[in-house]
Amino acid sequence: MQKGPVSKYGPDENVTWETLNRTEVSTVAMWIEVIGTIISALGNTPALTFIGPQLASDLNLVGDTIQLGGTVIQVEDEKNLTYNKIGNIIQVAGNSEEIAGYAIPLNLTDLRTLLQTQGNAIQLTGISLSFIFTQVQPTLSSIEEAYGTMLQILGLGMQTLSGGFPSSNEFGQNLNTTGNWVQVIGAILQAIGQTRYLEKLRLRYLQEASVHTPTNPSVTRYYALSNANQNRK
């Protein structure tokens, strides 16, 4: 139920104001996805006995919809057609199918399970493509993003496998719950890594801006922000 990392910029590329703004938008979108992933995980945790079947379905529907919105933002934000963008588009399709699985009546158990399992499998394909992108594209990204993506692949794989068991099967339920929370951990790690990447990109922008005469007044704001962060450290 989660997404791949956003597009990165190589060490030899100039960081423009547009690049920085787009990366900020993608970073916010990734944290929005973290929220959606947590909500979905809560809906897939039978141990929380106060959450009944209808509320669990509603939580999944809301959580997946939030994640879908975050992914769409990232697709729109990335201009070039890369493995990452293709992967995110595939994940939009998979997430949409999973949302359909939670939107139909609870008594259509087999159809709900089929749509949810297929949706997870499609998303697994998409995030794997995004992971390939992180391996072939030189970036300033941190190790958290790589581990975060791998954990999400593992979590989605567990959720997909759980769809092969009857809904009442305890092992299948535990597998699905574990997969959801593994994915949450991965999503948080990936968002942290993306945030660190954004900070590195800001510093690069400031370094390049210091060489040329800044034409954008917001450069001053980033200088002040950077100095404040350094002082806190």
Side-chain angles (χ1 to χ4, degrees), residues 98-161:
E98 191 173 4
I99 288 172
Y102 288 114
I104 63 177
L106 289 174
N107 60 329
L108 299 175
T109 306
D110 291 342
L111 181 57
R112 285 170 61 91
T113 301
L114 176 63
L115 291 173
Q116 292 161 19
T117 302
Q118 287 183 169
N120 279 325
I122 293 171
Q123 289 177 75
L124 180 59
T125 302
I127 196 171
S128 298
L129 277 177
S130 295
F131 183 68
I132 291 173
F133 174 80
T134 66
Q135 303 308 301
V136 301
Q137 176 77 13
T139 75
L140 293 173
S141 58
S142 65
I143 194 68
E144 289 96 334
E145 287 192 84
Y147 283 125
T149 304
M150 287 190 288
L151 281 175
Q152 289 178 73
I153 290 173
L154 175 62
L156 277 168
M158 295 172 72
Q159 293 171 58
T160 302
L161 289 175

Short mmCIF file of all heavy atoms in Angstrom, two decimals, residues 98-161:
data_model
loop_
_atom_site.label_atom_id
_atom_site.label_comp_id
_atom_site.label_asym_id
_atom_site.label_seq_id
_atom_site.Cartn_x
_atom_site.Cartn_y
_atom_site.Cartn_z
N GLU A 98 -7.44 -1.92 -4.82
CA GLU A 98 -7.60 -2.27 -3.41
C GLU A 98 -8.70 -1.44 -2.75
O GLU A 98 -9.48 -1.94 -1.94
CB GLU A 98 -6.28 -2.08 -2.68
CG GLU A 98 -6.27 -2.67 -1.28
CD GLU A 98 -4.91 -2.62 -0.62
OE1 GLU A 98 -3.99 -2.04 -1.23
OE2 GLU A 98 -4.79 -3.13 0.49
N ILE A 99 -8.75 -0.16 -3.10
CA ILE A 99 -9.82 0.70 -2.58
C ILE A 99 -11.19 0.16 -2.99
O ILE A 99 -12.13 0.14 -2.19
CB ILE A 99 -9.63 2.15 -3.08
CG1 ILE A 99 -8.43 2.79 -2.37
CG2 ILE A 99 -10.88 2.98 -2.84
CD1 ILE A 99 -8.05 4.15 -2.93
N ALA A 100 -11.30 -0.30 -4.24
CA ALA A 100 -12.56 -0.89 -4.70
C ALA A 100 -12.93 -2.10 -3.86
O ALA A 100 -14.11 -2.34 -3.57
CB ALA A 100 -12.44 -1.28 -6.17
N GLY A 101 -11.90 -2.87 -3.44
CA GLY A 101 -12.16 -4.04 -2.61
C GLY A 101 -12.73 -3.70 -1.25
O GLY A 101 -13.52 -4.46 -0.69
N TYR A 102 -12.36 -2.54 -0.71
CA TYR A 102 -12.89 -2.12 0.58
C TYR A 102 -14.20 -1.35 0.45
O TYR A 102 -14.93 -1.20 1.43
CB TYR A 102 -11.87 -1.26 1.32
CG TYR A 102 -10.68 -2.04 1.84
CD1 TYR A 102 -9.41 -1.82 1.32
CD2 TYR A 102 -10.84 -3.00 2.84
CE1 TYR A 102 -8.32 -2.54 1.79
CE2 TYR A 102 -9.75 -3.72 3.31
CZ TYR A 102 -8.50 -3.48 2.78
OH TYR A 102 -7.42 -4.21 3.24
N ALA A 103 -14.50 -0.88 -0.74
CA ALA A 103 -15.70 -0.07 -0.95
C ALA A 103 -16.96 -0.92 -1.15
O ALA A 103 -18.08 -0.44 -0.92
CB ALA A 103 -15.51 0.86 -2.14
N ILE A 104 -16.78 -2.17 -1.59
CA ILE A 104 -17.96 -3.02 -1.85
C ILE A 104 -18.48 -3.60 -0.54
O ILE A 104 -17.76 -3.62 0.47
CB ILE A 104 -17.62 -4.14 -2.87
CG1 ILE A 104 -16.54 -5.06 -2.30
CG2 ILE A 104 -17.17 -3.56 -4.18
CD1 ILE A 104 -16.21 -6.22 -3.21
N PRO A 105 -19.73 -4.09 -0.52
CA PRO A 105 -20.33 -4.60 0.72
C PRO A 105 -19.50 -5.70 1.39
O PRO A 105 -18.83 -6.49 0.72
CB PRO A 105 -21.68 -5.13 0.25
CG PRO A 105 -22.00 -4.35 -0.98
CD PRO A 105 -20.68 -4.10 -1.64
N LEU A 106 -19.59 -5.76 2.73
CA LEU A 106 -18.81 -6.73 3.51
C LEU A 106 -19.19 -8.17 3.20
O LEU A 106 -18.37 -9.09 3.34
CB LEU A 106 -19.01 -6.47 5.00
CG LEU A 106 -18.37 -5.20 5.59
CD1 LEU A 106 -18.80 -5.03 7.04
CD2 LEU A 106 -16.86 -5.28 5.48
N ASN A 107 -20.44 -8.40 2.77
CA ASN A 107 -20.88 -9.78 2.55
C ASN A 107 -20.29 -10.39 1.27
O ASN A 107 -20.35 -11.60 1.07
CB ASN A 107 -22.41 -9.86 2.51
CG ASN A 107 -23.02 -9.01 1.40
OD1 ASN A 107 -22.46 -7.97 1.03
ND2 ASN A 107 -24.17 -9.43 0.89
N LEU A 108 -19.69 -9.57 0.40
CA LEU A 108 -19.04 -10.09 -0.81
C LEU A 108 -17.58 -10.40 -0.49
O LEU A 108 -16.64 -9.82 -1.04
CB LEU A 108 -19.14 -9.06 -1.94
CG LEU A 108 -20.57 -8.69 -2.38
CD1 LEU A 108 -20.54 -7.59 -3.43
CD2 LEU A 108 -21.29 -9.92 -2.92
N THR A 109 -17.40 -11.36 0.42
CA THR A 109 -16.08 -11.64 0.98
C THR A 109 -15.07 -12.06 -0.08
O THR A 109 -13.93 -11.56 -0.12
CB THR A 109 -16.18 -12.75 2.05
OG1 THR A 109 -17.16 -12.38 3.02
CG2 THR A 109 -14.84 -12.96 2.74
N ASP A 110 -15.46 -12.99 -0.95
CA ASP A 110 -14.52 -13.51 -1.95
C ASP A 110 -14.06 -12.41 -2.92
O ASP A 110 -12.87 -12.33 -3.25
CB ASP A 110 -15.16 -14.66 -2.73
CG ASP A 110 -15.37 -15.90 -1.88
OD1 ASP A 110 -14.72 -15.99 -0.81
OD2 ASP A 110 -16.17 -16.77 -2.26
N LEU A 111 -15.00 -11.58 -3.37
CA LEU A 111 -14.65 -10.52 -4.30
C LEU A 111 -13.77 -9.47 -3.62
O LEU A 111 -12.80 -8.98 -4.21
CB LEU A 111 -15.92 -9.86 -4.84
CG LEU A 111 -15.71 -8.72 -5.85
CD1 LEU A 111 -14.89 -9.19 -7.05
CD2 LEU A 111 -17.06 -8.16 -6.31
N ARG A 112 -14.08 -9.15 -2.37
CA ARG A 112 -13.26 -8.20 -1.62
C ARG A 112 -11.82 -8.70 -1.49
O ARG A 112 -10.86 -7.96 -1.74
CB ARG A 112 -13.85 -7.98 -0.22
CG ARG A 112 -15.10 -7.10 -0.19
CD ARG A 112 -15.74 -7.14 1.19
NE ARG A 112 -14.85 -6.64 2.22
CZ ARG A 112 -14.80 -5.37 2.61
NH1 ARG A 112 -15.60 -4.47 2.05
NH2 ARG A 112 -13.97 -4.99 3.56
N THR A 113 -11.68 -9.99 -1.13
CA THR A 113 -10.35 -10.57 -0.97
C THR A 113 -9.59 -10.58 -2.29
O THR A 113 -8.39 -10.28 -2.33
CB THR A 113 -10.46 -12.00 -0.42
OG1 THR A 113 -11.14 -11.98 0.84
CG2 THR A 113 -9.08 -12.62 -0.23
N LEU A 114 -10.29 -10.92 -3.37
CA LEU A 114 -9.66 -10.96 -4.69
C LEU A 114 -9.13 -9.59 -5.10
O LEU A 114 -7.97 -9.46 -5.52
CB LEU A 114 -10.65 -11.46 -5.74
CG LEU A 114 -10.16 -11.47 -7.20
CD1 LEU A 114 -8.98 -12.43 -7.36
CD2 LEU A 114 -11.29 -11.83 -8.15
N LEU A 115 -9.95 -8.56 -4.95
CA LEU A 115 -9.54 -7.20 -5.33
C LEU A 115 -8.39 -6.70 -4.46
O LEU A 115 -7.44 -6.08 -4.95
CB LEU A 115 -10.73 -6.25 -5.24
CG LEU A 115 -11.85 -6.44 -6.27
CD1 LEU A 115 -13.04 -5.55 -5.95
CD2 LEU A 115 -11.34 -6.17 -7.67
N GLN A 116 -8.47 -6.98 -3.17
CA GLN A 116 -7.41 -6.52 -2.26
C GLN A 116 -6.09 -7.23 -2.55
O GLN A 116 -5.02 -6.59 -2.55
CB GLN A 116 -7.84 -6.76 -0.82
CG GLN A 116 -9.00 -5.88 -0.37
CD GLN A 116 -9.72 -6.42 0.86
OE1 GLN A 116 -9.18 -7.25 1.60
NE2 GLN A 116 -10.94 -5.95 1.09
N THR A 117 -6.16 -8.54 -2.81
CA THR A 117 -4.93 -9.30 -3.09
C THR A 117 -4.31 -8.87 -4.41
O THR A 117 -3.09 -8.67 -4.50
CB THR A 117 -5.24 -10.81 -3.12
OG1 THR A 117 -5.82 -11.21 -1.87
CG2 THR A 117 -3.97 -11.61 -3.36
N GLN A 118 -5.14 -8.72 -5.44
CA GLN A 118 -4.63 -8.26 -6.73
C GLN A 118 -4.07 -6.84 -6.62
O GLN A 118 -3.03 -6.53 -7.23
CB GLN A 118 -5.75 -8.30 -7.78
CG GLN A 118 -6.12 -9.69 -8.24
CD GLN A 118 -7.17 -9.70 -9.33
OE1 GLN A 118 -7.44 -10.73 -9.94
NE2 GLN A 118 -7.79 -8.56 -9.58
N GLY A 119 -4.74 -6.00 -5.86
CA GLY A 119 -4.25 -4.64 -5.68
C GLY A 119 -2.88 -4.61 -5.02
O GLY A 119 -1.99 -3.87 -5.45
N ASN A 120 -2.70 -5.44 -3.99
CA ASN A 120 -1.40 -5.51 -3.33
C ASN A 120 -0.32 -6.03 -4.27
O ASN A 120 0.82 -5.54 -4.27
CB ASN A 120 -1.48 -6.42 -2.09
CG ASN A 120 -2.07 -5.70 -0.89
OD1 ASN A 120 -1.84 -4.51 -0.69
ND2 ASN A 120 -2.82 -6.42 -0.07
N ALA A 121 -0.67 -7.03 -5.10
CA ALA A 121 0.31 -7.61 -6.03
C ALA A 121 0.73 -6.57 -7.08
O ALA A 121 1.91 -6.48 -7.43
CB ALA A 121 -0.29 -8.84 -6.72
N ILE A 122 -0.22 -5.79 -7.56
CA ILE A 122 0.10 -4.74 -8.54
C ILE A 122 0.98 -3.68 -7.90
O ILE A 122 1.95 -3.21 -8.50
CB ILE A 122 -1.20 -4.12 -9.10
CG1 ILE A 122 -1.96 -5.16 -9.94
CG2 ILE A 122 -0.89 -2.89 -9.96
CD1 ILE A 122 -3.36 -4.71 -10.36
N GLN A 123 0.65 -3.29 -6.67
CA GLN A 123 1.47 -2.30 -5.98
C GLN A 123 2.88 -2.82 -5.73
O GLN A 123 3.86 -2.07 -5.80
CB GLN A 123 0.82 -1.93 -4.65
CG GLN A 123 -0.44 -1.11 -4.80
CD GLN A 123 -1.08 -0.84 -3.46
OE1 GLN A 123 -0.61 -0.02 -2.69
NE2 GLN A 123 -2.17 -1.54 -3.16
N LEU A 124 2.98 -4.13 -5.43
CA LEU A 124 4.29 -4.74 -5.22
C LEU A 124 5.14 -4.63 -6.48
O LEU A 124 6.34 -4.34 -6.41
CB LEU A 124 4.10 -6.21 -4.83
CG LEU A 124 5.37 -7.04 -4.57
CD1 LEU A 124 6.18 -6.42 -3.45
CD2 LEU A 124 4.99 -8.48 -4.26
N THR A 125 4.52 -4.83 -7.63
CA THR A 125 5.24 -4.67 -8.91
C THR A 125 5.71 -3.23 -9.08
O THR A 125 6.86 -2.98 -9.48
CB THR A 125 4.32 -5.05 -10.09
OG1 THR A 125 3.87 -6.40 -9.92
CG2 THR A 125 5.05 -4.92 -11.41
N GLY A 126 4.83 -2.29 -8.76
CA GLY A 126 5.18 -0.87 -8.94
C GLY A 126 6.31 -0.42 -8.03
O GLY A 126 7.24 0.24 -8.48
N ILE A 127 6.25 -0.81 -6.76
CA ILE A 127 7.30 -0.36 -5.84
C ILE A 127 8.63 -1.04 -6.16
O ILE A 127 9.69 -0.48 -5.91
CB ILE A 127 6.89 -0.61 -4.37
CG1 ILE A 127 7.78 0.21 -3.45
CG2 ILE A 127 6.95 -2.07 -4.02
CD1 ILE A 127 7.33 0.21 -2.00
N SER A 128 8.58 -2.24 -6.74
CA SER A 128 9.82 -2.91 -7.15
C SER A 128 10.48 -2.13 -8.28
O SER A 128 11.72 -2.00 -8.32
CB SER A 128 9.52 -4.34 -7.59
OG SER A 128 8.99 -5.10 -6.52
N LEU A 129 9.69 -1.61 -9.21
CA LEU A 129 10.24 -0.77 -10.28
C LEU A 129 10.86 0.50 -9.70
O LEU A 129 11.93 0.94 -10.13
CB LEU A 129 9.14 -0.39 -11.27
CG LEU A 129 8.83 -1.41 -12.37
CD1 LEU A 129 7.66 -0.90 -13.22
CD2 LEU A 129 10.04 -1.67 -13.24
N SER A 130 10.20 1.08 -8.71
CA SER A 130 10.75 2.28 -8.07
C SER A 130 12.07 1.96 -7.38
O SER A 130 12.98 2.79 -7.37
CB SER A 130 9.75 2.83 -7.04
OG SER A 130 8.57 3.28 -7.68
N PHE A 131 12.16 0.78 -6.81
CA PHE A 131 13.40 0.39 -6.13
C PHE A 131 14.54 0.25 -7.14
O PHE A 131 15.68 0.63 -6.86
CB PHE A 131 13.20 -0.93 -5.38
CG PHE A 131 14.41 -1.37 -4.60
CD1 PHE A 131 14.82 -0.65 -3.49
CD2 PHE A 131 15.13 -2.48 -4.98
CE1 PHE A 131 15.94 -1.05 -2.76
CE2 PHE A 131 16.24 -2.88 -4.27
CZ PHE A 131 16.64 -2.17 -3.14
N ILE A 132 14.22 -0.29 -8.33
CA ILE A 132 15.22 -0.37 -9.39
C ILE A 132 15.76 1.02 -9.72
O ILE A 132 16.95 1.23 -9.90
CB ILE A 132 14.62 -1.02 -10.65
CG1 ILE A 132 14.33 -2.50 -10.39
CG2 ILE A 132 15.56 -0.87 -11.85
CD1 ILE A 132 13.57 -3.18 -11.53
N PHE A 133 14.85 2.00 -9.76
CA PHE A 133 15.24 3.38 -10.06
C PHE A 133 16.27 3.89 -9.06
O PHE A 133 17.25 4.54 -9.43
CB PHE A 133 14.00 4.27 -10.04
CG PHE A 133 14.30 5.74 -10.21
CD1 PHE A 133 14.56 6.26 -11.46
CD2 PHE A 133 14.32 6.59 -9.12
CE1 PHE A 133 14.83 7.62 -11.63
CE2 PHE A 133 14.59 7.93 -9.27
CZ PHE A 133 14.85 8.45 -10.53
N THR A 134 16.07 3.58 -7.78
CA THR A 134 17.00 4.08 -6.76
C THR A 134 18.37 3.44 -6.90
O THR A 134 19.38 4.00 -6.46
CB THR A 134 16.48 3.80 -5.34
OG1 THR A 134 16.44 2.39 -5.10
CG2 THR A 134 15.10 4.38 -5.15
N GLN A 135 18.44 2.25 -7.51
CA GLN A 135 19.72 1.56 -7.64
C GLN A 135 20.51 2.00 -8.87
O GLN A 135 21.73 1.88 -8.91
CB GLN A 135 19.49 0.04 -7.70
CG GLN A 135 18.74 -0.51 -6.50
CD GLN A 135 19.36 -0.11 -5.18
OE1 GLN A 135 20.53 -0.39 -4.91
NE2 GLN A 135 18.59 0.57 -4.32
N VAL A 136 19.82 2.48 -9.91
CA VAL A 136 20.52 2.85 -11.14
C VAL A 136 20.74 4.35 -11.28
O VAL A 136 21.51 4.79 -12.12
CB VAL A 136 19.75 2.35 -12.39
CG1 VAL A 136 19.59 0.85 -12.36
CG2 VAL A 136 18.38 3.02 -12.51
N GLN A 137 20.08 5.14 -10.43
CA GLN A 137 20.19 6.60 -10.52
C GLN A 137 21.09 7.13 -9.43
O GLN A 137 20.80 6.97 -8.24
CB GLN A 137 18.79 7.25 -10.38
CG GLN A 137 18.81 8.76 -10.38
CD GLN A 137 19.01 9.34 -11.77
OE1 GLN A 137 18.90 8.64 -12.75
NE2 GLN A 137 19.33 10.62 -11.83
N PRO A 138 22.24 7.76 -9.76
CA PRO A 138 23.07 8.35 -8.71
C PRO A 138 22.31 9.47 -8.00
O PRO A 138 21.76 10.34 -8.64
CB PRO A 138 24.28 8.88 -9.47
CG PRO A 138 23.82 9.06 -10.87
CD PRO A 138 22.77 8.02 -11.11
N THR A 139 22.30 9.43 -6.68
CA THR A 139 21.49 10.38 -5.92
C THR A 139 22.21 10.85 -4.67
O THR A 139 23.28 10.38 -4.33
CB THR A 139 20.16 9.74 -5.46
OG1 THR A 139 20.46 8.85 -4.38
CG2 THR A 139 19.48 8.98 -6.56
N LEU A 140 21.54 11.78 -4.01
CA LEU A 140 21.98 12.23 -2.70
C LEU A 140 21.15 11.57 -1.60
O LEU A 140 21.18 11.98 -0.46
CB LEU A 140 21.84 13.75 -2.58
CG LEU A 140 22.76 14.59 -3.46
CD1 LEU A 140 22.36 16.05 -3.34
CD2 LEU A 140 24.21 14.41 -3.05
N SER A 141 20.38 10.53 -1.95
CA SER A 141 19.47 9.93 -0.98
C SER A 141 20.23 9.15 0.08
O SER A 141 21.37 8.76 -0.12
CB SER A 141 18.48 9.01 -1.70
OG SER A 141 19.17 8.00 -2.40
N SER A 142 19.58 8.92 1.21
CA SER A 142 20.23 8.26 2.34
C SER A 142 19.88 6.78 2.38
O SER A 142 19.00 6.30 1.65
CB SER A 142 19.79 8.93 3.65
OG SER A 142 18.41 8.74 3.84
N ILE A 143 20.56 6.07 3.27
CA ILE A 143 20.38 4.63 3.39
C ILE A 143 18.97 4.30 3.87
O ILE A 143 18.46 3.22 3.59
CB ILE A 143 21.44 4.04 4.34
CG1 ILE A 143 21.51 2.52 4.24
CG2 ILE A 143 21.17 4.49 5.78
CD1 ILE A 143 22.05 2.03 2.92
N GLU A 144 18.34 5.24 4.59
CA GLU A 144 16.98 4.98 5.09
C GLU A 144 16.00 4.68 3.95
O GLU A 144 15.11 3.85 4.08
CB GLU A 144 16.46 6.17 5.90
CG GLU A 144 17.12 6.35 7.24
CD GLU A 144 18.24 7.36 7.18
OE1 GLU A 144 18.82 7.55 6.07
OE2 GLU A 144 18.55 7.97 8.22
N GLU A 145 16.17 5.37 2.83
CA GLU A 145 15.25 5.17 1.72
C GLU A 145 15.37 3.78 1.12
O GLU A 145 14.37 3.15 0.78
CB GLU A 145 15.48 6.24 0.65
CG GLU A 145 14.97 7.60 1.06
CD GLU A 145 14.95 8.55 -0.10
OE1 GLU A 145 13.95 8.54 -0.86
OE2 GLU A 145 15.91 9.31 -0.26
N ALA A 146 16.61 3.29 1.01
CA ALA A 146 16.81 1.94 0.46
C ALA A 146 16.20 0.89 1.38
O ALA A 146 15.44 0.01 0.93
CB ALA A 146 18.29 1.68 0.25
N TYR A 147 16.50 0.97 2.67
CA TYR A 147 15.93 0.02 3.62
C TYR A 147 14.42 0.18 3.72
O TYR A 147 13.68 -0.81 3.85
CB TYR A 147 16.57 0.20 5.00
CG TYR A 147 17.95 -0.38 5.12
CD1 TYR A 147 19.03 0.40 5.54
CD2 TYR A 147 18.21 -1.71 4.80
CE1 TYR A 147 20.31 -0.13 5.63
CE2 TYR A 147 19.48 -2.25 4.89
CZ TYR A 147 20.53 -1.45 5.32
OH TYR A 147 21.79 -1.98 5.40
N GLY A 148 13.95 1.43 3.67
CA GLY A 148 12.52 1.67 3.74
C GLY A 148 11.78 1.04 2.58
O GLY A 148 10.73 0.42 2.75
N THR A 149 12.33 1.18 1.37
CA THR A 149 11.69 0.59 0.20
C THR A 149 11.69 -0.93 0.28
O THR A 149 10.69 -1.59 -0.03
CB THR A 149 12.42 1.04 -1.08
OG1 THR A 149 12.44 2.47 -1.14
CG2 THR A 149 11.70 0.53 -2.32
N MET A 150 12.82 -1.51 0.73
CA MET A 150 12.89 -2.97 0.85
C MET A 150 11.89 -3.49 1.87
O MET A 150 11.26 -4.54 1.66
CB MET A 150 14.32 -3.39 1.21
CG MET A 150 15.29 -3.27 0.05
SD MET A 150 16.91 -4.03 0.39
CE MET A 150 17.59 -2.84 1.56
N LEU A 151 11.73 -2.77 2.98
CA LEU A 151 10.74 -3.19 3.98
C LEU A 151 9.32 -3.12 3.43
O LEU A 151 8.48 -3.98 3.73
CB LEU A 151 10.87 -2.31 5.24
CG LEU A 151 12.02 -2.65 6.18
CD1 LEU A 151 12.10 -1.62 7.30
CD2 LEU A 151 11.85 -4.05 6.77
N GLN A 152 9.05 -2.10 2.63
CA GLN A 152 7.72 -2.00 2.03
C GLN A 152 7.46 -3.13 1.03
O GLN A 152 6.36 -3.65 0.94
CB GLN A 152 7.57 -0.64 1.36
CG GLN A 152 7.47 0.49 2.37
CD GLN A 152 7.38 1.85 1.70
OE1 GLN A 152 6.35 2.19 1.14
NE2 GLN A 152 8.45 2.61 1.75
N ILE A 153 8.50 -3.49 0.28
CA ILE A 153 8.36 -4.63 -0.64
C ILE A 153 8.06 -5.89 0.15
O ILE A 153 7.18 -6.68 -0.21
CB ILE A 153 9.65 -4.79 -1.48
CG1 ILE A 153 9.78 -3.63 -2.48
CG2 ILE A 153 9.66 -6.13 -2.21
CD1 ILE A 153 11.10 -3.61 -3.23
N LEU A 154 8.79 -6.09 1.26
CA LEU A 154 8.56 -7.26 2.12
C LEU A 154 7.14 -7.24 2.69
O LEU A 154 6.43 -8.26 2.66
CB LEU A 154 9.58 -7.28 3.25
CG LEU A 154 9.41 -8.38 4.31
CD1 LEU A 154 9.54 -9.76 3.67
CD2 LEU A 154 10.43 -8.20 5.43
N GLY A 155 6.72 -6.07 3.19
CA GLY A 155 5.39 -5.96 3.78
C GLY A 155 4.28 -6.22 2.77
O GLY A 155 3.32 -6.94 3.07
N LEU A 156 4.42 -5.65 1.58
CA LEU A 156 3.41 -5.88 0.53
C LEU A 156 3.39 -7.35 0.10
O LEU A 156 2.34 -7.91 -0.20
CB LEU A 156 3.69 -4.98 -0.67
CG LEU A 156 3.15 -3.56 -0.58
CD1 LEU A 156 3.73 -2.69 -1.68
CD2 LEU A 156 1.62 -3.56 -0.67
N GLY A 157 4.58 -7.97 0.06
CA GLY A 157 4.65 -9.39 -0.29
C GLY A 157 3.91 -10.25 0.72
O GLY A 157 3.19 -11.18 0.35
N MET A 158 4.07 -9.93 2.00
CA MET A 158 3.37 -10.67 3.06
C MET A 158 1.86 -10.48 2.95
O MET A 158 1.09 -11.43 3.11
CB MET A 158 3.88 -10.20 4.43
CG MET A 158 5.34 -10.53 4.68
SD MET A 158 5.99 -9.77 6.19
CE MET A 158 5.17 -10.76 7.44
N GLN A 159 1.43 -9.26 2.66
CA GLN A 159 0.00 -9.00 2.51
C GLN A 159 -0.57 -9.74 1.31
O GLN A 159 -1.68 -10.27 1.35
CB GLN A 159 -0.23 -7.49 2.35
CG GLN A 159 0.08 -6.69 3.59
CD GLN A 159 0.04 -5.20 3.34
OE1 GLN A 159 -0.98 -4.66 2.91
NE2 GLN A 159 1.14 -4.52 3.59
N THR A 160 0.20 -9.79 0.22
CA THR A 160 -0.25 -10.50 -0.98
C THR A 160 -0.38 -11.99 -0.70
O THR A 160 -1.38 -12.62 -1.09
CB THR A 160 0.73 -10.27 -2.14
OG1 THR A 160 0.84 -8.86 -2.39
CG2 THR A 160 0.25 -10.95 -3.40
N LEU A 161 0.60 -12.57 -0.01
CA LEU A 161 0.55 -13.99 0.33
C LEU A 161 -0.61 -14.31 1.27
O LEU A 161 -1.23 -15.38 1.16
CB LEU A 161 1.87 -14.42 0.99
CG LEU A 161 3.09 -14.51 0.08
CD1 LEU A 161 4.34 -14.83 0.89
CD2 LEU A 161 2.89 -15.57 -1.01
#
